[in-house]
Amino acid sequence: MVKFRPVRGATVNRESTRFGLAERLADGDWLDAVADIDGAPPPLRTTVTVETPRTIIARNQSPDVPFDRSVNPYRGCEHGCIYCFARPSHAYHDLSPGLDFESKLFAKPTAPDLLREELAKPGYVCRPIAFGTNTDPYQPIESHWRITRNCLKVLAETDHPLTITTKSDRVTRDIDLLAPMAAKGLVAVALSVTSLDSQIARTVEPRAPHPERRLTAVRRLTDAGIPTFVSIAPVIPAITDHEIEHIVERAAESGARGVFFLPVRLPHEVAPLFRAWLDAHFPDRAGKVMAIIRSIRGGRDNDPDFFSRMKGQGPWAELLRTRFQIAMRKHGLGNERIAVRTDLFRSPRGAQGELF
């Protein structure tokens, strides 16, 4: 499956040697010579490779995240969000966290079968499974592969709880599965909205659906009885932070149960990619943006420490929190947390069957 799209997020295809891999020549070097002769190179194509993992539930023990397991139907993400903290994962496979991450994608079509097998294992203890914690489960290729939808079918069949975080209104295509689960208290959805400005959104998240479509999705999900939240993640100082109050207002108008936000994080290879992006798109304020980010992150481009990485520190971080809380109170939103039931789970009927 190959398709053409005109816009990308990363401005470079920066390589990584963080995992001890030998540095290689950039695949696109020859394109520069072609461009000198024949003009601009052709648009970068998106390719999808089938991946066959042995397991599909990823576990984590991070004390500052509200889930201990997740499912990622895809590796890489075509949305191309420049700040995506999942970009460094491509380096582990000797691919660039830059353009490779958003153009060389991997799909896991066996995910639903693997999920069923893992849920059927003796001793499995039910906890909410998070979708969208690494790459978006509703990125454009989901329309073709439908791996996320098929995983939802397994969870619906077994009354297994889940949460979904996405930037795409494609999630509404699965309302037929999500609404009955929501009626049982088994699902909650968070739509990420980082900017309401079309130009900024197109630059920061070039292939994600328009913010208005995401807010419309919040209304549709809410009207279907599905608990839906809005995530302002991340907030980028001097680029999107001025929109916090307006996004909270629009989220409330769209029926969101709650809103939360996170300051931008720049782990590993994301920092140099983000800097290059700033130089290309916001050269007038690149220095200011990075100075504020460093002030929030204790003088570094990124703060990897548990808890503080999610909140930030210093006057700027405190100002963001104060503005956010005032906006929440103004628009009648509390601090409701995402919560789903775990007591309805029924082990799937697999090869072992149900003896009783």
Side-chain angles (χ1 to χ4, degrees):
M1 176 183 174
V2 180
K3 66 177 91 172
F4 289 88
R5 290 174 185 265
V7 181
R8 294 291 173 180
T11 58
V12 294
N13 211 32
R14 190 183 300 274
E15 300 298 335
S16 171
T17 57
R18 183 161 53 93
F19 293 100
L21 300 169
E23 189 169 3
R24 55 188 170 88
L25 293 176
D27 294 337
D29 283 354
W30 64 275
L31 291 176
D32 294 333
V34 174
D36 290 341
I37 299 172
D38 298 325
L44 185 65
R45 293 184 296 178
T46 297
T47 63
V48 181
T49 300
V50 170
E51 182 178 344
T52 54
R54 290 181 294 179
T55 60
I56 198 61
I57 299 179
R59 311 275 178 164
N60 83 82
Q61 297 180 335
S62 300
D64 58 349
V65 295
F67 58 88
D68 68 353
R69 65 199 68 183
S70 60
V71 167
N72 292 289
Y74 306 103
R75 190 187 302 278
C77 185
E78 196 176 3
H79 283 164
C81 306
I82 188 58
Y83 51 74
C84 182
F85 63 82
R87 284 182 177 274
S89 62
H90 251 45
Y92 183 76
H93 297 277
D94 196 20
L95 293 171
S96 168
L99 292 173
D100 283 351
F101 176 80
E102 52 196 272
S103 63
K104 296 182 179 179
L105 312 180
F106 297 83
K108 307 172 187 178
T110 59
D113 293 334
L114 291 172
L115 181 58
R116 182 183 296 277
E117 291 174 8
E118 293 182 51
L119 298 185
K121 288 181 178 179
Y124 175 80
V125 177
C126 178
R127 296 285 186 274
I129 292 179
F131 285 74
T133 61
N134 201 31
T135 58
D136 202 305
Y138 287 100
Q139 60 179 287
I141 59 175
E142 166 66 11
S143 296
H144 171 79
W145 291 89
R146 300 167 70 87
I147 300 172
T148 299
R149 179 174 176 82
N150 288 331
C151 286
L152 295 186
K153 289 180 179 179
V154 174
L155 299 180
E157 173 191 325
T158 58
D159 285 336
H160 195 294
L162 74 146
T163 62
I164 296 171
T165 301
T166 180
K167 293 183 184 300
S168 178
D169 60 332
R170 292 180 187 87
V171 64
T172 60
R173 301 177 187 180
D174 290 339
I175 284 179
D176 62 316
L177 296 173
L178 297 174
M181 297 184 74
K184 300 178 182 180
L186 295 173
V187 65
V189 177
L191 267 293
S192 176
V193 181
T194 56
S195 175
L196 298 173
D197 184 291
S198 298
Q199 182 59 42
I200 292 178
R202 186 162 53 246
T203 304
V204 178
E205 306 158 344
R207 300 194 178 198
H210 192 281
E212 292 297 334
R213 289 172 57 183
R214 300 181 222 176
L215 290 170
T216 298
V218 172
R219 171 54 64 190
R220 289 191 59 193
L221 292 166
T222 299
D223 288 348
I226 301 166
T228 307
F229 298 74
V230 166
S231 166
I232 313 176
V235 173
I236 305 176
I239 294 180
T240 66
D241 67 287
H242 65 285
E243 298 189 68
I244 288 178
E245 290 82 359
H246 194 193
I247 295 175
V248 171
E249 178 183 11
R250 293 295 308 282
E253 291 173 351
S254 299
R257 295 271 287 266
V259 184
F260 55 90
F261 84 97
L262 293 172
V264 66
R265 296 173 51 204
L266 303 176
H268 303 300
E269 293 87 356
V270 179
L273 289 169
F274 186 80
R275 286 177 176 275
W277 175 83
L278 280 175
D279 289 340
H281 295 286
F282 297 95
D284 59 320
R285 68 189 89 167
K288 177 181 179 180
V289 172
M290 290 307 305
I292 298 173
I293 289 176
R294 286 193 297 272
S295 74
I296 292 175
R297 297 304 180 185
R300 298 172 287 179
D301 286 352
N302 183 62
D303 173 11
D305 297 336
F306 290 134
F307 299 106
S308 62
R309 63 177 181 168
M310 298 297 185
K311 299 184 298 183
Q313 57 185 290
W316 257 96
E318 186 59 35
L319 177 60
L320 291 177
R321 284 192 288 271
T322 300
R323 289 173 51 197
F324 176 76
Q325 290 300 331
I326 292 174
M328 291 283 282
R329 290 195 297 269
K330 178 179 179 180
H331 298 290
L333 294 172
N335 294 315
E336 180 178 352
R337 295 184 178 274
I338 295 176
V340 289
R341 296 179 63 177
T342 60
D343 59 319
L344 300 180
F345 172 68
R346 297 171 290 108
S347 181
R349 297 177 183 271
Q352 299 296 323
E354 292 184 358
L355 299 180
F356 305 100

